[in-house]
Amino acid sequence: QSTIRWRLQTYAGASLGAQVAKPAIDMFNAIAGDEMQIDLFYADQLVPTGELFQAMQRGTIDAVQSDDDSMASPTEVTVFGGYFPFASRYSLDVPALFNNWGLNEIWGEEYAKVGVKHISAGSWDPCHFITSTPITSLADLQGKRVFTFPTAGRFLSQFGVVPVTVPWEDVEIALQTREIDGVAWCGITEAHEVGWADVTSHFLTNNISGAWIGHFFSNMERWNELPPHLQVLMTTCFEQSHYYRQHWYWAGEARLRTESKKLELTSIPDAEWATVETAARAFWEEIAAESETKAKVVDIFRNYNAAMDQAGRPYRYS
Amino acid sequence: MPYEMIAALMFGSMLAVMLTGQRMFGVIGFVAVVAAVWLWGDRGGHDLAFAQTIKLMNWFPLMTLPMFIFMGYVLSESKLADDLYRMFHVWFGPVPGGLAIGTILLMVLISAMNGLSVAGMAIGATIALPELLKRNYDKLMVTGVIQAGSSLGILVPPSVVLVLYAMIARQPVTHLWAAGLVPGLMLAVLFILYIWLRCRMNPALGPAIDPEELAQVTTREKYMLLLSGLMPLAIFAVMMVPFVLGYTRLVESAVVGAISALAVSVAKGRMTWAILETCTKKTLAISCMFLWIILAALAFGAVFDGLRAVDFVRQLFMDNLGLGRWEILILMQVSFLLMGMFLDDTAMLVIVAPLYVPIVQMLEFNLIWYGVLYTITCQIAYMTPPFGYNLFLMRAMAPNEVTLTEIYRSIIPFVGVMIIGLGLVMAFPQIALWLPSVLFP
Amino acid sequence: MPRFVMTYLHMVEALNYRVGRLAMWSLFALMGVLAWGAIARAGFSPQIWTDEMAQFLLMGYFMLGGAYSLQMGSAVRMDLLYDRWSDKTKAAVDCITIFTLIVYLGVLLWGGIESTQFALEYGERRRGLWQPYMAPIKIIMCIGILLMILQCSAFLIRDIATVRGIKIAERDTNAL
Ligand code: NA
Ligand code: NA
């Protein structure tokens, strides 16, 4: 019997992918052995990231690691991929929301409609501003050209932020050539890992989201062709990837904030930042009004966050 | 069939089909889609080729390509360089070999105003070459001078080749352009040295201008001509200063350059509707040639990626051949030179650079420096038969008295000089890296 | 050559010429959009649409201009052997090898049509703030590729004529 071969392309470039994708794929390949092998491809290698979804839906690529937003998936939940502003505060929020508060079912259903298997959701890193000039007040956001997620860009533009679209791999160059002033994209760990910390100077501690929601997907037909034990193995290895990422990011956040000399930390006073948080609630209403599914997801976010606030310490420090 | 066999087969069949003389982009694309459909046809292998159009669309700096090409055509078609040529003619004419030396300097100035070698070739072959031949300059030498001099267009900023390299190697264009400047000037100096030495040994190669002819030029006119040299410097400054200071982005600077060249030609009364139309048409022709080759080569490259050709090349160089880092680097340059003889340089860049860049990175060589090495190699490839853009252009534009054999023979000493230049940049990376380190500390 | 073949040939060449001339002038639209983006950013407020619009224009430029550029003979060939052949030999070889272009462009069109169907079915939009629909540019690209295939068929007709010793007047690509 011949080896099953899959091609998986990640949204991440080679440097980040070495942390957030490769270990899990290597693990899967080592366990599956002759039965199945996954070939890993980094951002834009086979198809550009914007085409990832179509390529997977058609089967050009068997599986994908991405958030919904970056790969422009044509589903009702796309807007929640990447960073939905202030929906999560800690990295454990995402697995809780998906596994216990019902998001898994919604995602599974939405993707099944378009011929894609949603394998698993994970909690990725927080979203901060990392820029080449300090940000100490909301006014500093005016006119900042920033690389960010589409949804975050849509939200942030009300504060004068100008979202700029460049391929992920070109961000460092765009920073160097001053095409953009910074990113609103990740935490301090990723900024160091991919080299952005070398070409920027400031890190804003206020984040617009505590954890980004990212996923593994596959072509539905391909998934159904797999024997059940390989399905289980793949799900496990991908879960392991999310887990690895959680502690990798989390460990880096504290260490790099205190030890790294590359980025200077600044903050916007809490009272002023509260304006942004209030704006996020209004943004949620706007999104919820767009469709029933979106309303359902926003509702879950709202209930979850209310519960966490009520639970008080240690669940929510405020 | 093992993947490395398929990759080798793809490369081999591409070269073989190319020998039939069919249009290159078609051949490259053909091999790519046949391989993709054969390998992954049941799994949508056929849409790999089209997906590359989106990748091309995302390559924002690619927009500089038509701009720099247009700029070059405005310079050559509207005869903006006539005064420049006359300046060098008057000032360098009395020296043996001076007109050839002046032509090299002319090429340097033209290189600072366009991103390819086309404009330099056009100006060199139509303005400089007939004049030089009329004055009994050695045919072989001047034919070589123009081909070699115009190839500086891709090394001296702005450079389209370095923009392409920047997109593939993911390095900042600013740094690459800065890195190309000093080696470009160094090559110009080496060319001049070569010409000067040859003409000293044998003054018949480049006779000095008749003093009587020069006497007709008044001193005032002589100094006025110097002013014409300011024009290219002004265009260069208008284009580059806002860019380096961060006011304009790369593509916008290219637009600024194109518009300022147009403005100068209008101001000088050289622009007519017919010339504008010719420039626009030729820009379309050359831009399409490049973009279609890049699109096809991207598909080829995607299949290569799918076959993991990088791993195979890495294994070949590092494990199988057991070479040291410098040996690998030299081997890569040699392979580029060999491929450059037969392959379109752009296709070569898009297909081969993605395989080589990770290796260069792994060997811990500087990618900016490597970009300069690559570009000099490209310059050589532009001139070496059987396939080379400058050769084609020379053949198309040179006066009838210059034969094909002469064109081929003329480049030999200049290729030698360029290989020396390549060696110098390899041995002393600071030649390339000094300027970027000063400009971008 | 049969009359309807000649009619087809002239129609294809005329069509590609017209479309190509249109694409040719769009270079100035590209310049205008990019310049406007720079001016607006420096002068008042950054425009959200200029970058994507410029990208679309560049794609349209070389896709719709492709067939005309082929007419002008701009595509490079490896002419080591080709150059030494007689016109008849060249035409005979081209009759066969033109299918490399047709196959490549055909597969490109195949992928393009699927991608366009996707864009239409799901209302695909481009990433970023402006979020323009992708279907129009994909349709334009498909049209460009189709025109190039038609141009290849015109080349084939001309080459067959040359092999059979029939002279067809060259099209003047310089005319206005
Ligand atoms: Na140049
Ligand atoms: Na060559």
Side-chain angles (χ1 to χ4, degrees):
Chain A
Q1 197 201 328
S2 67
T3 310
I4 302 169
R5 268 208 117 83
W6 270 27
R7 285 178 288 153
L8 180 148
Q9 186 171 311
T10 169
Y11 77 101
S15 56
L16 181 65
Q19 291 285 353
V20 302
K22 195 165 182 299
I25 304 298
D26 286 346
M27 182 193 291
F28 179 89
N29 287 343
I31 301 172
D34 287 342
E35 262 193 280
M36 180 170 177
Q37 291 288 301
I38 299 176
D39 286 332
L40 171 65
F41 296 94
Y42 297 113
D44 289 340
Q45 265 196 310
L46 293 179
V47 296
T49 302
E51 298 286 290
L52 265 182
F53 181 84
Q54 296 175 53
M56 169 170 60
Q57 194 194 40
R58 247 176 264 141
T60 312
I61 288 170
D62 305 285
V64 160
Q65 177 193 34
S66 176
D67 61 287
D68 317 77
D69 211 1
S70 294
M71 69 170 186
S73 76
T75 59
E76 283 291 308
V77 292
T78 301
V79 70
F80 304 107
Y83 298 102
F84 195 65
F86 300 101
S88 69
R89 187 172 293 196
Y90 302 113
S91 48
L92 276 174
D93 288 347
V94 175
L97 281 161
F98 272 82
N99 293 304
N100 300 83
W101 288 71
L103 292 190
N104 258 344
E105 289 69 23
I106 298 177
W107 255 254
E109 241 172 74
E110 284 299 312
Y111 276 94
K113 280 186 208 161
V114 288
V116 165
K117 166 75 185 169
H118 176 248
I119 301 174
S120 79
S123 166
W124 293 0
D125 56 332
C127 182
H128 289 267
F129 280 90
I130 302 159
T131 49
S132 11
T133 46
I135 300 173
T136 53
S137 70
L138 278 188
D140 290 334
L141 291 180
Q142 274 299 332
K144 281 253 181 311
R145 284 173 295 165
V146 164
F147 171 71
T148 188
F149 292 86
T151 305
R154 184 174 149 191
F155 169 66
L156 288 170
S157 58
Q158 58 185 300
F159 303 103
V161 171
V162 185
V164 178
T165 312
V166 285
W168 186 88
E169 288 280 356
D170 293 331
V171 169
E172 188 175 347
I173 296 166
L175 284 166
Q176 279 169 299
T177 58
R178 278 167 284 194
E179 195 169 315
I180 54 176
D181 305 310
V183 300
W185 181 269
C186 59
I188 203 164
T189 315
E190 181 172 331
H192 279 77
E193 187 69 20
V194 303
W196 297 345
D198 299 323
V199 289
T200 50
S201 55
H202 289 80
F203 180 88
L204 180 68
T205 57
N206 311 68
N207 56 22
I208 56 167
S209 175
W212 155 28
I213 308 171
H215 313 263
F216 283 95
F217 304 96
S218 83
N219 177 291
M220 188 63 95
E221 243 174 82
R222 290 288 111 70
W223 175 261
N224 290 334
E225 285 163 15
L226 289 185
H229 70 285
L230 286 179
Q231 289 179 345
V232 173
L233 177 62
M234 198 181 292
T235 310
T236 309
C237 289
F238 290 168
E239 281 290 338
Q240 166 62 27
S241 165
H242 294 314
Y243 177 66
Y244 176 100
R245 193 169 174 133
Q246 272 198 6
H247 62 70
W248 178 65
Y249 274 127
W250 192 249
E253 285 301 309
R255 187 182 302 132
L256 291 169
R257 281 189 192 201
T258 50
E259 291 172 10
S260 167
K261 299 275 177 291
K262 290 181 179 171
L263 297 174
E264 194 185 315
L265 307 188
T266 64
S267 355
I268 293 176
D270 286 346
E272 209 180 334
W273 190 247
T275 331
V276 184
E277 294 187 35
T278 314
R281 310 288 172 238
F283 183 72
W284 288 16
E285 297 303 330
E286 212 179 288
I287 298 293
E290 284 175 4
S291 79
E292 223 173 281
T293 311
K294 287 176 182 171
K296 225 158 83 185
V297 177
V298 168
D299 238 21
I300 292 176
F301 281 148
R302 205 183 283 120
N303 294 338
Y304 174 77
N305 278 299
M308 287 284 144
D309 282 337
Q310 254 182 346
R313 296 179 183 203
Y315 289 98
R316 281 286 184 270
Y317 290 86
S318 51
Chain B
M1 203 189 299
Y3 274 3
E4 56 261 40
M5 278 286 290
I6 300 176
L9 189 70
M10 276 176 72
F11 210 84
S13 50
M14 177 178 75
L15 286 181
V17 183
M18 253 178 208
L19 278 177
T20 64
Q22 188 47 266
R23 295 162 186 83
M24 275 203 180
F25 86 89
V27 175
I28 298 170
F30 171 74
V31 176
V33 298
V34 168
V37 170
W38 173 46
L39 284 164
W40 311 301
D42 56 331
R43 303 225 222 139
H46 62 274
D47 32 67
L48 224 52
F50 186 78
Q52 308 309 315
T53 60
I54 308 293
K55 198 187 258 181
L56 202 67
M57 198 189 296
N58 291 340
W59 272 4
F60 201 64
L62 205 61
M63 262 174 255
T64 57
L65 190 107
M67 300 305 155
F68 289 138
I69 294 172
F70 179 75
M71 205 175 157
Y73 276 121
V74 169
L75 287 174
S76 57
E77 295 292 324
S78 69
K79 311 255 178 282
L80 271 185
D82 283 12
D83 296 343
L84 274 180
Y85 177 74
R86 212 171 137 63
M87 173 185 86
F88 287 116
H89 188 99
V90 168
W91 282 89
F92 286 83
V95 188
L99 287 185
I101 292 172
T103 305
I104 292 285
L105 293 174
L106 173 71
M107 292 296 158
V108 172
L109 284 186
I110 293 168
S111 295
M113 293 181 289
N114 84 102
L116 286 171
S117 60
V118 189
M121 277 301 299
I123 293 165
T126 54
I127 306 174
L129 191 60
E131 289 287 321
L132 288 165
L133 292 177
K134 208 161 75 191
R135 292 185 162 71
N136 291 321
Y137 266 64
D138 179 60
K139 224 195 280 185
L140 278 185
M141 192 174 72
V142 297
T143 312
V145 160
I146 287 160
Q147 291 183 78
S150 63
S151 77
L152 293 173
I154 62 170
L155 188 57
V156 174
S159 156
V160 166
V161 171
L162 282 172
V163 168
L164 280 176
Y165 175 85
M167 287 190 285
I168 290 165
R170 308 229 179 245
Q171 297 297 312
V173 177
T174 38
H175 294 48
L176 281 162
W177 280 5
L181 186 60
V182 177
L185 297 178
M186 182 193 77
L187 277 182
V189 170
L190 290 178
F191 292 151
I192 289 171
L193 263 174
Y194 165 77
I195 297 166
W196 183 72
L197 279 173
R198 286 287 312 269
C199 291
R200 245 183 91 96
M201 290 190 290
N202 181 4
L205 290 178
I209 273 195
D210 189 357
E212 260 176 52
E213 190 190 333
L214 273 183
Q216 291 171 359
V217 185
T218 64
T219 316
R220 191 186 128 77
E221 197 189 342
K222 259 180 98 169
Y223 285 96
M224 285 304 286
L225 276 174
L226 269 186
L227 281 180
S228 68
L230 290 177
M231 184 266 294
L233 294 178
I235 292 183
F236 185 74
V238 166
M239 180 170 50
M240 301 299 276
V241 171
F243 173 56
V244 173
L245 292 180
Y247 291 114
T248 52
R249 295 186 293 168
L250 175 69
V251 286
E252 291 160 357
S253 296
V255 175
V256 170
I259 292 175
S260 47
L262 197 59
V264 170
S265 67
V266 171
K268 285 200 157 191
R270 299 277 175 79
M271 187 49 76
T272 64
W273 182 253
I275 291 177
L276 182 68
E277 200 236 315
T278 310
C279 294
T280 317
K281 194 177 70 197
K282 288 189 171 175
T283 302
L284 178 80
I286 301 286
S287 301
C288 284
M289 174 194 91
F290 273 104
L291 287 164
W292 276 98
I293 281 188
I294 295 171
L295 186 61
L298 279 176
F300 197 97
V303 180
F304 257 30
D305 261 337
L307 292 172
R308 302 250 169 227
V310 185
D311 295 340
F312 163 59
V313 173
R314 192 179 300 159
Q315 229 171 31
L316 177 77
F317 279 151
M318 294 183 156
D319 305 343
N320 298 9
L321 297 174
L323 299 173
R325 66 200 276 265
W326 281 98
E327 289 164 315
I328 294 177
L329 191 84
I330 291 168
L331 197 69
M332 288 197 295
Q333 291 315 107
V334 171
S335 70
F336 259 137
L337 281 176
L338 288 178
M339 281 187 275
M341 290 180 138
F342 300 97
L343 214 61
D344 170 88
D345 314 278
T346 315
M348 194 165 79
L349 181 64
V350 180
I351 293 169
V352 185
L355 300 180
Y356 281 6
V357 164
I359 296 174
V360 174
Q361 209 161 15
M362 207 177 350
L363 296 172
E364 292 178 349
F365 286 116
N366 185 307
L367 280 177
I368 302 280
W369 169 73
Y370 185 71
V372 174
L373 293 187
Y374 168 75
T375 308
I376 299 177
T377 315
C378 249
Q379 279 183 274
I380 299 174
Y382 268 44
M383 305 168 27
T384 45
F387 185 88
Y389 287 121
N390 284 16
L391 281 176
F392 290 161
L393 291 166
M394 197 68 190
R395 245 162 27 197
M397 294 189 236
N400 290 336
E401 54 194 296
V402 184
T403 67
L404 193 63
T405 326
E406 285 168 335
I407 292 176
Y408 283 178
R409 276 176 50 204
S410 71
I411 55 122
I412 296 170
F414 289 94
V415 166
V417 171
M418 287 162 110
I419 290 176
I420 293 172
L422 186 66
L424 283 173
V425 180
M426 277 171 102
F428 307 103
Q430 282 309 309
I431 298 173
L433 297 177
W434 170 77
L435 189 60
S437 75
V438 171
L439 284 180
F440 314 100
Chain C
M1 302 295 272
R3 239 219 5 251
F4 73 92
V5 174
M6 292 304 291
T7 314
Y8 169 81
L9 175 73
H10 292 312
M11 270 172 59
V12 165
E13 289 186 340
L15 175 68
N16 283 340
Y17 176 80
R18 296 266 147 69
V19 175
R21 296 291 291 194
L22 210 70
M24 170 184 125
W25 291 113
S26 75
L27 176 71
F28 294 100
L30 178 60
M31 279 186 204
V33 166
L34 286 170
W36 176 246
I39 293 165
R41 195 177 62 239
F44 38 105
S45 71
Q47 304 292 298
I48 56 165
W49 57 275
T50 48
D51 283 1
E52 277 97 349
M53 194 64 209
Q55 289 173 319
F56 291 163
L57 279 167
L58 182 72
M59 294 314 279
Y61 179 68
F62 93 99
M63 284 279 176
L64 294 178
Y68 177 44
S69 83
L70 285 181
Q71 269 183 14
M72 287 192 274
S74 74
V76 287
R77 300 164 179 265
M78 221 317 256
D79 61 356
L80 179 63
L81 304 171
Y82 194 77
D83 221 28
R84 301 168 197 204
W85 296 337
S86 68
D87 285 351
K88 225 172 184 162
T89 315
K90 280 181 186 168
V93 173
D94 274 352
C95 275
I96 300 160
T97 57
I98 192 73
F99 285 96
T100 58
L101 266 81
I102 294 174
V103 168
Y104 168 56
L105 293 166
V107 175
L108 204 58
L109 185 62
W110 179 9
I113 289 172
E114 279 194 357
S115 189
T116 307
Q117 277 170 346
F118 176 92
L120 287 169
E121 190 180 337
Y122 294 101
E124 185 194 7
R125 288 157 179 266
R126 191 154 172 76
R127 273 195 65 167
L129 204 57
W130 186 37
Q131 301 211 316
Y133 283 106
M134 288 296 284
I137 188 61
K138 285 188 173 175
I139 291 170
I140 287 174
M141 290 200 276
C142 287
I143 292 173
I145 299 166
L146 183 67
L147 290 179
M148 285 183 76
I149 295 175
L150 294 180
Q151 185 60 42
C152 290
S153 73
F155 284 144
L156 183 61
I157 292 169
R158 281 184 176 277
D159 287 333
I160 291 173
T162 309
V163 171
R164 292 169 58 184
I166 303 165
K167 280 221 166 10
I168 306 176
E170 283 298 319
R171 201 187 155 80
D172 178 14
T173 51
N174 294 316
L176 274 169

